[in-house]
Amino acid sequence: MSNHHIAVAIDGPAASGKSTVAKRLAKQLGLIMVNTGAMYRAVAWATIQKGVDPSDTAAVVAMLSSVEFRCGVTEMLSTVLVDGADPGEELRQDAVNGRVSKVAAIPEVRALLVKMQRDYLELGSVVMEGRDIGSVVFPDTPFKMYIDASESVRRMRRAAEGIIDDPTARDKEDSERKSSPLVIAEGAVVIDSSELTIEEVVEQAVGVLAERGAPQEILDRVR
Ligand code: DC
């Protein structure tokens, strides 16, 4: 890694609980929490604003040079602005859910966002969640976890959130794409969250960090 900052990589399928766990873990450890799904969602959202067909790769790639995507941090959480505007809750819209896997499969989109994701490490230590964090963004970090959950549990979690989404259809697209598909990264510890509470998953994650030699000053922050 380029400096003394550490990257905790948390990957897994949709609705596996990884976002909730990543948020709690980052908060407990005082690290920056980076939600990379929001960045891919921001690109999908921009295609809606600009009337770009997400299946038209050339048009999406052209859009990347005409729209400014800017990533930052507010109160230790990652933010993304599209031409200076914050899409906010609109990133969770059905229309975005329906487009995001298409734009995420485009190598140029991934190259742009992966660079921004790596840049976060200049700001501080991070907990970063996504699909390719341990495999592509930070392949050298020892702190890698893959949070999984059974299909039925994942469907229930999405329904409980009141979100119309088909996590399995998205996971199929995300796992079968050529460019950085969802995989269990080499060296990642798999945690199945189906039968665990959030606290139990976070506890296991902290255990992984301790076992793999995370700095004591970070581990000491766990209350
Ligand atoms: O985590 P999420 O459900 O908000 O992610 C939205 C989509 O973005 C997901 O279907 C796949 C894509 N994604 C990706 O390809 N790579 C990442 N690192 C994060 C998300």
Side-chain angles (χ1 to χ4, degrees):
M1 228 146 281
S2 59
N3 47 37
H4 60 285
H5 297 145
I6 68 160
V8 179
I10 300 198
D11 292 301
S16 61
K18 65 182 186 310
S19 304
T20 313
V21 169
K23 262 189 221 142
R24 295 264 184 114
L25 187 65
K27 196 159 190 199
Q28 280 199 10
L29 301 176
L31 308 184
I32 299 168
M33 151 72 192
V34 183
N35 173 355
T36 63
M39 299 180 195
Y40 290 93
R41 288 173 179 274
V43 176
W45 182 80
T47 65
I48 301 170
Q49 308 306 305
K50 302 288 172 189
V52 169
D53 174 359
S55 307
D56 182 344
T57 302
V60 176
V61 173
M63 186 191 79
L64 298 179
S65 11
S66 63
V67 173
E68 189 202 24
F69 295 93
R70 189 174 322 142
C71 294
V73 178
T74 300
E75 292 177 357
M76 300 300 272
L77 297 175
S78 62
T79 55
V80 54
L81 298 180
V82 180
D83 277 343
D86 177 4
E89 280 307 303
E90 290 185 18
L91 293 183
R92 299 257 143 220
Q93 278 173 348
D94 300 348
V96 171
N97 284 333
R99 286 172 175 235
V100 66
S101 290
K102 288 190 183 67
V103 301
I106 300 174
E108 288 86 347
V109 171
R110 306 202 68 84
L112 175 76
L113 299 187
V114 165
K115 165 148 196 338
M116 293 182 182
Q117 290 157 13
R118 289 185 178 141
D119 285 348
Y120 270 103
L121 215 50
E122 301 294 321
L123 302 179
S125 293
V126 300
V127 174
M128 191 172 287
E129 59 117 339
R131 303 293 189 288
D132 61 341
I133 312 307
S135 57
V136 174
V137 183
F138 296 121
D140 296 334
T141 182
F143 312 117
K144 294 183 193 183
M145 279 157 261
Y146 184 95
I147 314 268
D148 211 347
S150 68
E151 200 176 309
S152 57
V153 166
R154 294 195 290 120
R155 274 186 195 286
M156 258 162 40
R157 285 179 184 164
R158 271 295 187 262
E161 288 168 4
I163 292 171
I164 303 169
D165 185 17
D166 185 350
T168 9
R170 252 186 328 121
D171 289 336
K172 190 164 158 20
E173 277 191 66
D174 295 336
S175 305
E176 291 179 354
R177 69 177 177 229
K178 284 206 192 77
S179 185
S180 311
L182 168 66
V183 289
I184 300 175
E186 207 184 313
V189 174
V190 179
I191 302 175
D192 187 331
S193 74
S194 309
E195 309 283 326
L196 300 176
T197 63
I198 295 161
E199 289 72 22
E200 286 167 333
V201 181
V202 172
E203 205 177 303
Q204 285 198 18
V206 172
V208 171
L209 299 185
E211 252 170 53
R212 295 193 168 190
Q216 197 55 45
E217 69 170 270
I218 289 181
L219 295 172
D220 283 345
R221 294 175 194 158
V222 179
R223 288 171 286 272

